[in-house]
Amino acid sequence: MTIRKSPHRLLPYGWPTTTLIAFAFIMLMAACSATQSDPDPVQRVISSMSDSFPLIAMPADADPESEDWKGIDLEPKAPVLPLYPAEEAKKFLLPPGYKIEPILTEPQIEQPGAIAFDGNGRMYVLELRTYMLTADSDGTLDPVSRISRWEDKDQDGVYETGTAFVDSLIFPRFVLPYGKDCVLTMESDADNIYKYTDTDGDGRADKKELFTTKYGRSGNVEHQQAFLYWGMDNWLYSTVNAFRVRESPGGVIREKTGYNRAQWGISHDDDGKLWFMGGASGVPSHFQFPIHYGNFEVEDQYAEGFRVPWGAAVKIADLQEGMDRVRHPDGSVNRVTGAAGNDIFRGDRLPEDLKGQLFYGEPVARIVRQINPVVEEGLTTLHNVYQDEKSEFLRSSDPLFRPVDMATAPDGTMYVVDMYHGIIQEGQWAQRGSYLRAKIEQYQLDKVVSLGRIWRITYDGMDRDKTRPNMLNETPAELVKHLEHPNGWWRDKAQQLLVLSRDQSVVPQLEKMARGSQNLLARFHALWSLEGLGALSADIVRELMQDASPRLRIQAMRAGETLYKKGDRSLEKDYQKMILDKHTDVVIQAMMSANLLELPGLESQIKTAMANNKAKGVQTIGDQILNPPVVRGFGVGSGQDLSETEIAMMEKGSEIFNELCTQCHGSDGTGTPMGQGMVMAPPLTGSSRVQSHPDYVIKVLLHGLTGAIEGKTYPGAIMVGMPEQTDEWIASIASFIRLNLTNEASLVTAEEVARVRSATAGQEGPYQYDALLASVPQVLIPQEGWKVTASHSASARIGGTASPKSAFNFEGWTTGEQQKEGMWFQVELPQATTLTEIHFTAPPIRRGWRPGSPPPIHTYPRAYEIQVSMDGKSWKQPVASGQCDEPDNIIAFQPVKARYLRITQTGSVEQEEEKAPWAMKELKLFGLAEPATM
C-alpha cells in the first residue's frame, strides 16, 4: 500500500469550508496546547495528527472488483479526532428515560479493558496501556500496563481517588478481587496466576504469591485466556480454557469443562449459569447450560436477524473484513464482527425489565446490545430487544467509542467500559496491504491512543444506591444478611467473602436461610455458601431437591454434585428420581448431573426421561448424552493423546490408586477428612509438588515420606515406600496421579523409575520433606537479574519483543533466519547454581491445515551442545550434546554448578524449501538450588 502526503494543507475538493475552518482551528488549539509542559491527553492526541491528509493508494496486488475492495473510498480524509467526555456523551443514543455520565476518565486511567469491585465497592480497572499503540502492535508486550484501584470518597458519583494497585505488568489478562486488599491476575504469555496483596494499607500491592500454575496458552493478546471469574458455584472460570479451578485447603484444584469458545467476557445470571462472550464471532458463545457439563449443540440459538447490528452512522467503514461488511451509505457494520465484555444485569436501580437481560459490547459497531433470552422447552434463544426498531440499547456516532466491558455496579446501575481507541483489532489483522490498514491510515486512527472512559447508565426517577459497601470489614454473620440484597452484586460479593473466610460459625445461619428464607435468591446463595465452606450436608441437598421451586431443585442437584464426587453415594437414588420430575428444566438438569457423575444405569435413565418428556430440550440433550458429538474447542487442546500402551498403564494406575491410596488421600485426591478442616494425608489434587519434576513422586513411592510438609503435619504421619514393586508398577501409579486428580502433568516411564531407583539405592528409610525437596530438580523461575542473550533474535509474532528472554514464556524466541552452525543461546544467572536439565518446546511453523498442505517446518535445533561456565569466558566440555527430532525436548545431564549456560547449534539446515529458524518457547531450567521466590 502506498501512502503519500497531500501537498495541500486544505481539505480535498468538495469539502465544506466550515469543516475546513473547524479542523484548522482544532489543530491550531492543539498545537498551542502541545507547547505547554503537560498537555491534556485529548489535546496530545490531536496534536499528533498530521494536518496534511494521507493519500492512500490501493495495494498493487489488490483486486478492485473483489468483495474486500469494490467501492472503497480512498480519498484524503480529515482524521478522526477524539472528543472530551462531555462532548462524547452527546453522541450517545439511548432509549427514552436513560442517561449516561462519565465516572472515571483519562488522564486518571488509560485504555481500560475491564473492571471489577472489591467488598468495599472500590473499583479495580484493568488498564491495557500497550494495546494497539501503532498499527503494527509495537510495544504490546512492554511492561507498562497496570491495575488501578479507585474510590468515590466524597459520594458525588465520580471515582476521584485512586492508586496503581499493581504496576509494570505485561498486558494483564484479568483482575479478580480476592478478599481484603487482594487481587488475582496474570500477564500475557505467562503460565502462572499470582495473588497480589496490599499488606500496609497504602493502596499498592507489596506482596506477590503464586496462586496456581499451568493456566496460560500461546497466541496474540486477543487469543489468550482472559476474565478470571468467580461463579456462583465457587469455581473460577476463564475464557478459552476448558477447565475451572478453585482454592481448597490443600491447594488449588481444577476440573475439566466443556469448550467455552470465548475470548473477552463472562457473566452469570441469578441461577448461576455462566454466559461467555465469543469475541471474533460477535455473539455470545456458550450460554445454554453450565459449562462444566460439557458441550451440547443446539440449533437456532439466535433469533433470525440476530447477527445484524444497528449502530449509528460512523462513516469511516474501518472493518477488518472489507467492503462487503459495510452498510451503505452510513459506513457502519452490516454484520457483527466482534464482541467484548458482557453483563447479565442484576442490579436494582434501573427498570425492572432489564433484570436478567444480557448486555454486551460490539466495539466495531460501536454499540451495547440488550438481549432478551427466551426459554422454550428447556432451550434458550437470544433476541435483540431493539431489532424490530432497527436499533440497539446504546449506540454512538463517535467512531472512537469502544465498549469492551460492562458490569452491574454496587450502586445498582450499570457501568460501561469504553476504551475510546482508534484501532480495535490486533495487529495481525491490520498488516500493510490489508483493507483495514488502509482505513487506519486514511483516518489516522493509529494516533488515537492512551485515552479511556468508564460510564454509568442511569434512569430518570431512579437514583443510584449511595450506600457505601463495607463488607471487607464486616463479620461473617453480617455478611450473611447481604445474601438477601436486591442487587446481585451484593449477594455475589457476600458469598465470595463468606467462602474465603472459611468461618464455620455461620453454618447454622446459612442452613436456616437455605431451608426457609422467603427470598428464593438468598436460598441459592446460602446453599452455595455452605458448599464453599465445605459444610454442605446430604440432608439439606436431599431436602431441597424436593422443594416446590423447580429453580431451587436445580440448584440442589448442582450443589450435591460436590458431595457425590467426594464419595457420598447416598444421593444416587435422589438424582435418579429427579429424572422423573414434571418440570422440563429439572429433567434436563437431572440428565446432565447423571451424565457428569456417571450414575449407574445412565443409559436407561436417559431413555426413560426421553420417553416421558417430549420437550425439545430433553430430546436434544438426551440424544447427545447417548450419542456424543465430536466437539472441538476454540484455540485449546483436548489434553494428552495416549497410546494404547499408555491407556493400559493409566488403567493399572487407577486400579492401584483405588485399592491402596484412597483410604488416606481420599477418592478424589483431596485427602480423607478427619474433621475440623484436617485431612488424613497431604492432598494430591492440584498439587504443585506432584506436578513438578517426576523424580518427586517416584522417590516418594520408592522410599516413602515422613514428617511435616511445608510446616504442616498430617495424622497419617508416614507414607510408606514400596521399593519391592516393579518399575512398571511405580510408573503406572505415578502416571495416574500426575495426569489425573486435576494435575495434568506428564507421564512417568519405567525407564525413569529405573534411573531414580539406581540413583537412590543408598537411601535408608523414608525421606524428610526438606531433604527430598533438595534432591529433586526444581524449575528455576526467571528473575530480573537473569541476563539472557543470543547470537540472533527476531520477533516470534507481530507485536513481539524480539527478546531472547521470551524463550521462557509462551511468546517464544526465534533466530528469525535459517539455522546454521554456531548460533547460540545463553543464560547468565546472578549466582552459581547446580543445574540438572533443560526443557523446551520448538513450535513448528504450520503451512496450512487442509489435507495436502505442505508439512510444517520444524524449528528444533538439528544438533546441539550444552556448555556451562562460572565466568562466561572459560567453558567446560559439553555437559550434553545430541540431535533433536521433535518439538518437545528434555535434555538432562549430570548436576553441575555454574553461572552461565549456553546452547550452541552444531548442525544446520541447508536445503529446506522455506527457511527453518531455530525457535524455543516455554524454556525451563532445572536445578538443585532452592527456587527463587517471587
Side-chain angles (χ1 to χ4, degrees), residues 79-108:
V80 172
L81 301 179
L83 303 175
Y84 286 99
E87 293 302 311
E88 185 194 359
K90 298 175 184 178
K91 301 291 184 179
F92 288 121
L93 301 170
L94 277 160
Y98 290 93
K99 293 192 170 47
I100 190 166
E101 58 187 356
I103 57 173
L104 182 61
T105 71
E106 76 283 335
Q108 282 75 22

Side-chain angles (χ1 to χ4, degrees), residues 171-233:
F171 208 98
R173 306 308 308 170
F174 46 74
V175 55
L176 175 65
Y178 198 74
K180 185 175 177 62
D181 298 323
C182 176
V183 300
L184 300 180
T185 191
M186 72 182 298
E187 296 177 291
S188 290
D189 292 307
D191 209 19
N192 298 335
I193 296 177
Y194 286 97
K195 180 161 62 173
Y196 292 85
T197 306
D198 170 18
T199 64
D200 57 13
D202 67 351
R204 297 175 180 270
D206 49 76
K207 183 179 181 182
K208 179 181 180 182
E209 303 169 272
L210 179 66
F211 180 75
T212 192
T213 60
K214 300 170 64 176
Y215 208 86
R217 68 180 298 272
S218 184
N220 66 61
V221 294
E222 291 186 4
H223 285 179
Q224 297 180 40
Q225 72 293 331
F227 272 76
L228 189 67
Y229 188 87
W230 185 308
M232 187 187 286
D233 59 7

Side-chain angles (χ1 to χ4, degrees), residues 5 108 216 272 327 427 443 476 497 547 595 659 672 689 890 894:
K5 298 293 185 180
Q108 282 75 22
R327 177 182 289 118
Y443 289 99
L497 295 174
D547 194 85
N595 186 48
E659 289 176 350
T672 299
R689 300 182 297 273
I890 297 175
Q894 289 298 314

Side-chain angles (χ1 to χ4, degrees), residues 386-624:
Y386 294 92
Q387 181 170 309
D388 289 346
E389 293 102 298
K390 294 185 177 181
S391 188
E392 303 287 350
F393 174 75
L394 172 62
R395 298 176 293 154
S396 176
S397 58
D398 184 345
L400 301 177
F401 174 55
R402 304 294 196 176
V404 293
D405 191 26
M406 48 271 324
T408 299
D411 63 14
T413 66
M414 184 191 303
Y415 291 3
V416 175
V417 178
D418 173 12
M419 188 175 276
Y420 205 67
H421 202 60
I423 308 173
I424 204 71
Q425 180 63 268
E426 208 273 338
Q428 188 172 340
W429 292 276
Q431 297 182 48
R432 294 188 183 278
S434 67
Y435 171 93
L436 180 57
R437 184 61 165 256
K439 287 296 176 177
I440 289 171
E441 293 173 339
Q442 182 181 28
Y443 289 99
Q444 301 186 49
L445 295 173
D446 53 325
K447 304 294 180 58
V448 186
V449 299
S450 302
L451 305 176
R453 293 92 192 258
I454 299 174
W455 304 87
R456 175 191 290 117
I457 294 178
T458 60
Y459 191 77
D460 290 342
M462 300 184 74
D463 292 336
R464 62 185 174 87
D465 185 353
K466 296 182 181 179
T467 304
R468 180 176 292 177
N470 191 37
M471 285 188 264
L472 296 180
N473 304 310
E474 292 180 337
T475 66
E478 290 172 321
L479 291 174
V480 171
K481 298 176 183 178
H482 297 312
L483 300 181
E484 296 182 310
H485 200 284
N487 182 350
W489 177 85
W490 285 76
R491 300 193 301 272
D492 291 344
K493 190 58 64 176
Q495 177 188 320
Q496 292 171 19
L497 295 174
L498 282 167
V499 172
L500 288 172
S501 76
R502 300 183 182 176
D503 191 315
Q504 300 292 305
S505 68
V506 293
V507 169
Q509 195 178 349
L510 291 169
E511 289 181 335
K512 181 179 179 181
M513 181 177 285
R515 283 185 161 117
S517 173
Q518 297 301 304
N519 185 324
L520 180 62
L521 300 182
R523 298 179 74 186
F524 291 0
H525 286 281
L527 174 67
W528 284 110
S529 295
L530 289 168
E531 190 274 347
L533 289 169
L536 183 63
S537 70
D539 288 341
I540 285 185
V541 170
R542 189 174 291 111
E543 179 182 333
L544 298 186
M545 278 187 183
Q546 305 305 314
D547 194 85
S549 168
R551 294 171 65 189
L552 187 54
R553 299 202 294 276
I554 289 172
Q555 296 299 321
M557 280 189 281
R558 291 178 185 168
E561 292 165 4
T562 300
L563 301 180
Y564 194 92
K565 285 185 290 188
K566 283 185 172 292
D568 187 344
R569 299 297 187 262
S570 68
L571 291 169
E572 180 181 308
K573 291 185 178 179
D574 299 282
Y575 277 107
Q576 292 171 341
K577 288 179 183 177
M578 302 306 288
I579 291 281
L580 305 176
D581 198 278
K582 300 298 184 182
H583 196 283
T584 292
D585 293 343
V586 175
V587 174
I588 292 174
Q589 178 60 53
M591 292 194 300
M592 293 190 298
S593 291
N595 186 48
L596 178 74
L597 301 175
E598 299 179 345
L599 297 183
L602 174 65
E603 182 176 346
S604 63
Q605 293 170 46
I606 299 300
K607 290 180 177 177
T608 297
M610 295 175 70
N612 290 344
N613 191 320
K614 298 301 181 181
K616 186 176 180 180
V618 172
Q619 300 301 311
T620 298
I621 303 307
D623 181 66
Q624 292 183 46

Side-chain angles (χ1 to χ4, degrees), residues 788-797 801-817 819 823-826 840-843 859-861 903-905 917-923:
V788 186
T789 53
S791 60
H792 301 69
S793 290
S795 180
R797 71 163 77 118
T801 60
S803 168
K805 279 190 175 182
S806 296
F808 287 93
N809 60 35
F810 285 113
E811 180 191 354
W813 159 84
T814 177
T815 59
E817 61 181 70
Q819 292 188 32
M823 288 179 166
W824 54 265
F825 180 96
Q826 179 176 299
F840 66 86
T841 296
T859 64
Y860 47 73
I903 311 170
T904 302
Q905 175 86 249
W918 175 17
M920 296 189 295
K921 69 175 184 177
E922 301 173 74
L923 173 64

